[in-house]
Amino acid sequence: MIEKFSFDIVSPKVRRKLILVKNDSEGREHVVLKLLAYCLFYDERLRVEPDLGMHYRPDLAIQGEHDVPEVWIDCGQIGLEKAEKLSRKLRATRLIFIKESIQELTRFKATLDKKVEYANRIEYLAFDSGVTRKNVSGLKASVLRAF
């Protein structure tokens, strides 16, 4: 089921409504990861799932000059092939991969370090066990129906 989530981002310098859509193939944990990433890496230029004219689409990104993203953020399940291609192709881009738990991140990073030539360019972030699951229970969604 496709669900839409609306969040009011409010701080002394920011007032913004953020809308995130959960596709059928994504869990609500993915929505929480995107929300946390959006808040942690906030920049007024940060966009949700922008089309950057590439085969892959990031969860969050800041478009840079000459059609090269300045920042690329992916959350949750990230394929090894995707990570390898992004790290090779986007050498001037800040790549950030976010995982749901430290254990998941440790396994993922160990695999990338062995198999990806430019893995040292990737930044990683993970949360303490259960942080995303605890926040999932507080999400309220609107169901989107396609006709």
Side-chain angles (χ1 to χ4, degrees):
M1 171 177 10
I2 298 175
E3 297 175 291
K4 179 177 103 174
F5 299 89
S6 296
F7 303 96
D8 293 315
I9 309 295
V10 180
S11 76
K13 295 182 179 181
V14 177
R15 289 193 175 287
R16 175 165 271 170
K17 181 170 280 300
L18 175 66
I19 297 173
L20 298 175
V21 176
K22 181 193 88 59
N23 296 314
D24 289 334
S25 62
E26 299 172 331
R28 286 182 165 200
E29 291 82 5
H30 191 243
V31 172
V32 171
L33 287 175
K34 283 198 282 191
L35 173 62
L36 292 171
Y38 187 87
C39 293
L40 287 169
F41 296 99
Y42 178 77
D43 182 299
E44 64 183 20
R45 301 168 298 153
L46 192 62
R47 299 291 175 253
V48 177
E49 298 182 6
D51 182 358
L52 300 175
M54 298 177 64
H55 175 72
Y56 298 109
R57 187 176 277 209
D59 287 318
L60 302 166
I62 295 173
Q63 179 65 51
E65 296 179 13
H66 310 292
D67 294 328
V68 176
E70 184 178 315
V71 177
W72 180 296
I73 301 171
D74 265 334
C75 304
Q77 299 300 315
I78 303 157
L80 180 63
E81 181 180 336
K82 178 180 182 180
E84 191 277 324
K85 285 182 179 178
L86 291 174
S87 68
R88 185 172 22 89
K89 186 171 185 172
L90 301 177
R91 293 186 189 177
T93 300
R94 182 179 180 197
L95 288 176
I96 304 166
F97 293 157
I98 300 177
K99 293 293 192 172
E100 192 174 331
S101 72
I102 294 169
Q103 286 179 312
E104 183 183 355
L105 176 64
T106 302
R107 286 190 304 270
F108 179 69
K109 185 179 181 318
T111 302
L112 287 186
D113 286 346
K114 290 178 194 169
K115 299 190 176 192
V116 175
E117 184 177 355
Y118 300 103
N120 61 335
R121 296 188 47 264
I122 300 169
E123 296 176 44
Y124 301 92
L125 177 70
F127 298 95
D128 287 339
S129 185
V131 166
T132 54
R133 284 195 174 89
K134 288 176 188 170
N135 285 293
V136 164
S137 62
L139 293 179
K140 294 191 170 63
S142 302
V143 177
L144 298 178
R145 302 201 192 294
F147 297 97

